[in-house]
Each structure stands twice: as structure tokens, then as C-alpha cells.
Amino acid sequence: MKPKYSPMMMQYLSIKEQHPNDIVMFRLGDFYEMFFDDALVVSKELEIALTGKNAGAKERVPMCGVPFHSASGYIQRLIELNHRVAIVEQLSEPGKGIVERGVVQIVTPGTIFDDSLANKKNNFIAAFYEFDFVYCLSFCDITTGEFKVVNIEKNEHNLINQLQAMNVLEVVCLSNQQRTFGSCVVSCFDKEETQTGYDKIFDNLSDLKQHKVCNLLLNYLLDTQKRELSHLQNIEVIDHSAYITMDLYTKKALELTTNTKNNEKYGSLFWLLDQTKTAMGSRYLKQWIERPLVKKAEIEKRLDIVEILNLHFIQRESLKEVLKEVYDLERLSAKIAFGNLNARDMKWIGNTLKTIPEIKEQLLSIPDHDVQEIATRLIDVSYITKAIDDAIIDNPPLSIKEGSFIKDGFDEELDELRYIRNHGKNWLATFEQQERERTGIKGLKVGYNRVFGYYIEVTKANIPFVKDEFEYTRKQSLSNAERFITPELKEMETKIIHAQDKSMKLEYSIFQELREFLKKDVHLLQDIAKTIAMIDVYQSLACISSDNSYVRPIFNEQKTIEITQGRHGVIEKVMEKGRYVSNDVSIQQLTPVQLITGPNMGGKSTYMRQVALSVIMAQIGCFVPATSAKLPIFDQVFTRIGASDDLVAGQSTFMVEMLEANNALNFATENSLILFDEIGRGTATFDGMAIAQAMIEHIASKIKCITLFSTHYHELTFLSDQGLGIENVHASAIVENDKLVFLYQVLPGCSNKSYGIHVASLAKLPDSIISRANVLLNMLETNNIEVKLVEQPIIEIQTSQIEKQLEQIDPMALSPLDALSTLIELKKMIGK
């Protein structure tokens, strides 16, 4: 038999039954409470106290709670732990009977609404639909209203890569199409009916498959958010053919938006280029970096604007200063529609819109058609700023339900209520003084609290002086005082409290009307936000190009790269000024494959990354770090740089290496760029060398795209003589006084040796190991055999080494101390 619970707990259980898989946060006064299993889970995961509640049954119900005013932090942590949270609010005012409650929002990993305007990242949720010949994905960020859709080839690698590229945390799919999507949370949802009122956002779609997946995501958002989402923007169709294709491996290896060390922004290309002044500009720049263009006309248009802003330094600096006053209009617009805008947010919208005339004026003063066309998109919205300025005080409080944020003189009724309230307070002060004089009780005070209202307080010592003719009615007893009420005070209390309560409700009502007024122009505000974000990106690219002496790239139709004094922008920025060694890059159409040899730490990987980053910077419309740069336009970039195990997937370094290389070998075209670093080092020497040679031959003879292929297999340098279009270059180094010196210059020809033992010496390996390695290396080079310690008589090896050592010694070049040290070492070797 089920236990009988109190009406409130029965209400909770009814709601929980409808949301069995969600953590139900149940509003009780100033707290969100959780009960039963939810309480057990939340108390453990959030490390908060587990208590109990008498709920009508014999046993106390497990319970834990969090204050409603700080609930967002707790919700965030639950979402990070992959829980869904159903928010239950009080829908009616407390009074007689049980308060009506209901779910007002379901928060999921993909729908959490971060109120922090300092957050410069998108939070996309995706929907997946599988069709016969294609996968369809739609994406939405409810904090900005961005909505996108893309068709992708029916390939698991492409599917996961697209989700990871958008940093998706949650994927919605039909129950009969449920599957895993990497580390994403999967939410099954089968509601596919067409929603009325959202036709306009589908205007750009002609593909019924895309319409279907977008409709699925829209239904899920409406179902979880329990409100109108009028801020959703027209759905953008992602056309992969318009952008450079880069898989996740490539983006990570090139450190486009995060570094490989700790996945932070510092040290990435995004970090280098981000001199934006607004959060929306920063998000927009990140999207440009992740999706460089491939259409020359569009790239040149961006470069034209960057160049003209470089030339007009004064206007650019003025724009930079004005943009500092711009708040995140994109997210503020979403908050209008979402219904969680407060008075301070509204003031920020007004302050942001006030910058438009100045931004427009600076752009129009630049004699360039493209710049002036951008300026025309910033239309006059002074009617919005006037409405906000007329109504809201300069520094409003965060709460919109406690009043004191609407300006005096804005509303006549509100002014009257405020007069009564303020006059009432003056009256109370006068009343207190009169009562002291009338009663002769000098310590008498008039006070107020929410439970008992206004009262007259008299200390215990003065109680004998309270007479019947004063008409004092006892209201409350304290340990050291008594509190009274009089008919006159009661009457004024009613007036004051009524005026205070009514004025707060009236201010809230005025604010709601103003919010609805703004809501009609949400899409206009979003368009302005996009334009300001674009302007911010352009000034950022212009600043970084100007400040670092970058040069405008020139594109060619041939398959050639000619870069003079090229640099790796990120490394150059983190190094001390003047220490970075620039490199020329020359890749000709007849020899598109460069085979790069040279020592570890000699700059091979930096050289390769430098070329790739210059390509990406050029194709997003930024100047590049060089004194001149002539580049082709690439359609794809593939990399295999750095060794890494994927232990979770059970894959070794070599397996990861082969999988990453396979993408390039299968999908690269003649117009692609491939960077392969030390292919084959994860397996046996001859296996690795054979695989590396086969790959180079395949790329050179079949794909024929520009390729940078670094290797320690010097034996492969003969390939340059095979007529395959392969050129040898090397990272140069010299030995001075038996010390290896890196020159960080990549020069024509092949390296004569790898200097591996010298690098080991730099790493401070024990002298005995360095010495032994030299013995083995000499024998390998002389005899071309693999030396095994167990197969060589120790004495013979040591004697041979002593002879070789003596041959290399120049007695006249040794200092007395060096000569003594050498003699000691030789004696030790004989002793062994």
C-alpha cells in the first residue's frame, strides 16, 4: 500500500511522474527543494546537506535544497554532470489552499542559458536525422538565436567531426535512430509536427530533409523551454564547398582556437588574432578561423576592407574606442525574447545602441564602397534608446520585482504612489515625535517588519508609563520590550504598504510593456549585432596586421607558394622581440612535394605550421606574417603532426597516426595542402620507412597537391631524383666546439645527418650513454648493420672506441683541464 503524503508532496510526485529522467527542482518559498532519489543524487554530487521532511507519511522524505537566488551555479554543475533539470515554479500567489506549481523550463546540456555576458563562446545543441544517402544535422544556440543546418556525407568520421567542430554537447534524435555521438549527451525526441508562427526562420531552406531536421530541433527547444522563442534567426545553410575543409585532427594540430597543451585559448591562432572589443565580435572571429573561405572574390573583399582600415588609422582607432562601449547585443536580444531581461540589461541595450551614430560616422568617413555599405546596415534606432532613457534610471538594480528603477516623472500614477509612500515615511517620523511628547516616553520608537507591519516599541522599563487613554493595543512581546499599534498608525500603515506594494507592481508592469516594445524589434537588434560583430572583426584583423607588419597575400592560379621572410605569428608573439628567425618558402608547381629533413628541435614542425597558418590567415581575409606572400587558394588542409595515443579508444600512437594520415590520402585533391610530420616513427624502422616512402610516392604521383613531409629517414631523400615532383629541403644546424647549434633556417637540399646524439647531449643524458651511442652509430654507419650488445665482444668494442677517440683528439686544441678529463675517461674505458 502506497504511503499517503501531504497535498504539497502529492503535487511534487505528480510532476515528478511526468519527468522521471529529470532532476526536479521544486520551488518552495526562497528555495528549490529536491526530494526522494533526486535529493540523494544531488546531495552527493553537489556535496550539499541531505535532510528530511515530514510529508504526511510515517517516514521522513529525503530532501535537500539550494537558495533560488543562487540556483544557476548549482544547475550549471548538474548539467556538467550530464543531468537534465526540470525547474518547477510557483504559478500563483500564496494564499488559501495549495500554491499552483508547474514546470517552466527543462535545462539540458545544450539549452543552458548562461546569463554571463562575458561568455564569448557559443553553446550549440544539435539535432540528427539519418536519410538513405545522407546525414542531416541542425544546430541552434538559444543564447544568441543562431540556427544552422548542414548535409554531410554518410560517414561516421564526418559526422563526429562536424559535431566536435561546433562544440556540441547534446544531440537530439528520433528514438528509432538512437546511436552514440562521441561524448555528446543523446536526447531521444519524437515530436515532429509543424509549429505555427515560425515559418519565417525556414525561408532559406529548399531541401525537405533539412526542413525536417530543423523542425525536430525546433520542437525539442519549444518543449524544453516552455516559452515562445521569437529570437530564433533565419536558418543558415552551411555550404561546405564555400569553406576550407579541415578535420578535427587538423584544427587541433594547428592550434587554431585552442592550444594542444591544455585546450585553452592562449597560444592559439584565435588568441593571436583576437583584438576584438566585443563578445559577439570574438565569437564571429572564431567562426571565421574555423571556416576559412575558398572563393577568391569573397576573400579579396575581406582583404580590401582590412587594407582600407589599415590605411585609415585614425578612424580605426576611433572605432576601437567606441566598440569598448558595446555590450553583447546578440545575447541581450535573446534575453528579451527569452523573458529574462532585467532593467540593467535594458540599460545596456540602450547604451550599446547609442554608439551606432559614432560607428556609422567613422565608417562613412572612409572613402570605400564596401566599408560604406556596411555602414548603411546600421539604421537609426534612436526611438529605442529614447524609450529606454525616458523610462529607466541610470544605475538600476538587478531585481525588477522590487521597484526603484523607473524614473520619476515617467508615469503619473507611479509618481502619486511614490508621494504617498515617501510622505508616509515623513509622517511616521513626525508621528514618533508626537507620541514621545504625548506619552512622555522618550525612548519610544516606531518600527516596521514584514510579519507585523508598523508598530510602536516601548522598553520593559517604560511599560508602567503606558496608559489606557493612549489607545495602545499590544501586538507583540519581546524579552526586553513590548510592541503596540494604534488606530491612527494602523490606518497609515494600510496606506503606505498599499502604495509600496502597488508601486512595485506598477513598475514591473511598465517594464513588461517596455520589454514587449523591444521584443517587436528583436530581429532588427540581431541584425545590428551581426553588423557590429563584423566591424569588430575587421578592426581586429587590421590592428594585428598593422601592429605586426603583416603583408597582404597575393593569390595565384598556379600551384606555387612564394613566401619571403615568413614567420609563425603565434611563436613570434610569445618570444622575446627580435629573436624569431624568419624563413623563406618556395614551392613550385613542378615540385609540389617538399621532403624536409633535419634534427629534432631544428624547426621543421614550426616551418610546416607556419605555412599552414599563413594559408588559413590569408583565406579568412587577414594579412600574413611575412614581407611578401604569394599563395594558391586551397580547398582542404590535412595534417599529421605530433604523436598521441588514444588510450580510451584503445589506439596506439601508430594507429592514430595511420588513421589521421588516411583522411588525407583518401580525400585530398590537387588543390589541397598536406602536412605530414615524421610519418612511420611509431613502428619498426624498416616498416616505418616503407610506409613513409609509399605515402610520399602516392601523394606525388596520384594526388599531386602541395605537401610538406618531414622525416628522419634520410634514405628517402633519393626520391627527389625519381622525377615525381619531390624537392629536398632541410632544417639547418651546425656543430661548434662539439656543441649543436640550431640555425632555424629551412634551406634547399637534404640534411647530411640527424644530429640525434647531439640533441640527446643537449638533453643532458649521462655521458656514458652518449659515448656508447656514438660507438654504435659509427659502427652502424660503417658496416650498415644492426649492432646488438650481446653479439659483440665487449673488449673489442671498447678497444675500437678508444682508437677512434684518439684519432679524433687534437692535443693542441685541448686545455690542460680538458686533457686531464679525456685521459681519465680513456683510462676508465680500459679498466672496463
Side-chain angles (χ1 to χ4, degrees), residues 415-646:
D415 288 345
E416 289 178 4
L417 291 168
R418 283 177 173 171
Y419 176 80
I420 294 171
R421 182 193 65 193
N422 296 334
H423 180 70
K425 288 180 180 178
N426 294 334
W427 182 90
L428 287 169
T430 303
F431 175 77
E432 183 182 79
Q433 185 59 37
Q434 289 174 345
E435 286 301 296
R436 286 176 179 177
E437 292 172 0
R438 184 166 76 98
T439 62
I441 303 172
K442 292 183 179 179
L444 178 150
K445 291 189 297 187
V446 174
Y448 170 83
N449 69 33
R450 289 188 176 186
V451 177
F452 294 102
Y454 287 99
Y455 54 80
I456 298 169
E457 185 174 289
V458 180
T459 60
K460 292 283 190 184
N462 288 313
I463 292 298
F465 300 108
V466 177
K467 301 176 181 177
D468 291 342
E469 64 258 31
F470 297 163
E471 296 185 300
Y472 280 17
T473 303
R474 196 181 305 274
K475 195 166 188 178
Q476 184 187 13
S477 294
L478 303 177
S479 60
N480 63 341
E482 295 286 341
R483 289 176 175 174
F484 303 91
I485 190 76
T486 68
E488 190 179 10
L489 183 58
K490 186 68 179 173
E491 183 182 351
M492 183 53 70
E493 175 189 80
T494 303
K495 288 181 181 178
I496 294 172
I497 292 177
H498 176 74
Q500 177 75 7
D501 185 55
K502 194 171 180 182
S503 69
M504 287 193 297
K505 288 180 179 177
L506 182 55
E507 284 199 59
Y508 182 64
S509 175
I510 291 169
F511 182 80
Q512 285 181 309
E513 288 178 17
L514 195 52
R515 191 162 57 191
E516 287 302 310
F517 169 74
L518 293 180
K519 197 173 182 179
K520 293 182 293 184
D521 286 323
V522 160
H523 291 291
L524 170 62
L525 296 178
Q526 288 173 329
D527 290 342
I528 291 171
K530 281 186 180 297
T531 302
I532 293 176
M534 182 191 301
I535 294 164
D536 198 10
V537 171
Y538 278 128
Q539 74 77 22
S540 180
L541 296 183
C543 281
I544 195 76
S545 299
S546 176
D547 294 346
N548 295 282
S549 301
Y550 292 174
V551 66
R552 177 169 180 161
I554 299 170
F555 297 106
N556 61 65
E557 301 297 328
Q558 295 79 36
K559 199 160 54 182
T560 65
I561 294 179
E562 289 287 351
I563 299 174
T564 306
Q565 294 184 24
R567 290 114 58 199
H568 188 302
V570 175
I571 295 177
E572 180 185 42
K573 187 172 182 180
V574 298
M575 287 179 71
E576 291 178 21
K577 195 167 184 179
R579 286 190 57 209
Y580 188 85
V581 178
S582 61
N583 263 296
D584 294 345
V585 182
S586 179
I587 301 176
Q588 303 304 313
Q589 187 157 4
L590 295 178
T591 53
V593 178
Q594 276 197 349
L595 187 62
I596 311 168
T597 51
N600 280 325
M601 300 168 57
K604 300 192 300 295
S605 295
T606 300
Y607 171 80
M608 295 167 73
R609 284 188 172 98
Q610 162 188 319
V611 173
L613 292 182
S614 292
V615 165
I616 289 166
M617 289 171 71
Q619 290 187 223
I620 69 171
C622 182
F623 287 18
V624 299
T627 57
S628 71
K630 297 176 182 177
L631 303 165
I633 291 178
F634 294 94
D635 62 356
Q636 300 178 90
V637 177
F638 297 95
T639 69
R640 167 56 214 173
I641 299 176
S644 58
D645 289 355
D646 189 347

Side-chain angles (χ1 to χ4, degrees), residues 127-139 148-155 158-159 162-163 204-214 235-243 245 291:
F128 165 84
Y129 222 117
E130 181 178 0
F131 296 95
D132 289 339
F133 305 106
V134 71
Y135 291 143
C136 240
L137 285 172
S138 59
F139 306 91
K148 306 173 191 288
V149 67
V150 64
N151 289 347
I152 57 175
E153 185 183 343
K154 215 166 180 183
N155 174 290
N158 291 346
L159 174 64
Q162 185 68 59
L163 292 170
N204 297 335
L205 299 188
S206 55
D207 186 334
L208 290 177
K209 299 187 294 296
Q210 293 180 342
H211 197 287
K212 221 171 175 50
V213 72
C214 290
I235 299 167
E236 174 195 345
V237 180
I238 299 175
D239 177 12
H240 279 314
S241 66
Y243 308 104
T245 300
R291 292 192 292 174

Side-chain angles (χ1 to χ4, degrees), residues 92-193:
S92 63
E93 292 293 327
K96 292 182 179 179
I98 189 168
V99 175
E100 182 185 353
R101 294 181 178 87
V103 175
V104 297
Q105 184 182 6
I106 299 172
V107 185
T108 71
T111 62
I112 189 161
F113 199 111
D114 186 353
D115 282 335
S116 169
L117 298 182
N119 184 358
K120 297 182 178 182
K121 298 178 181 178
N122 282 108
N123 182 34
F124 283 110
I125 181 173
F128 165 84
Y129 222 117
E130 181 178 0
F131 296 95
D132 289 339
F133 305 106
V134 71
Y135 291 143
C136 240
L137 285 172
S138 59
F139 306 91
C140 186
D141 181 349
I142 62 167
T143 70
T144 64
E146 294 167 87
F147 212 141
K148 306 173 191 288
V149 67
V150 64
N151 289 347
I152 57 175
E153 185 183 343
K154 215 166 180 183
N155 174 290
E156 292 302 308
H157 170 75
N158 291 346
L159 174 64
I160 299 302
N161 184 64
Q162 185 68 59
L163 292 170
Q164 290 176 329
M166 303 290 282
N167 296 314
V168 170
L169 299 176
E170 179 181 9
V171 181
V172 180
C173 64
L174 300 174
S175 298
N176 61 7
Q177 294 188 357
Q178 185 175 1
R179 59 198 295 153
T180 57
F181 299 93
S183 59
C184 298
V185 172
V186 180
S187 298
C188 292
F189 189 74
D190 296 312
K191 191 174 179 181
E192 295 190 84
E193 68 223 35

Side-chain angles (χ1 to χ4, degrees), residues 676-690:
F676 278 173
D677 188 21
E678 309 293 353
I679 288 290
R681 64 180 167 183
T683 187
T685 302
F686 292 120
D687 281 354
M689 195 185 305

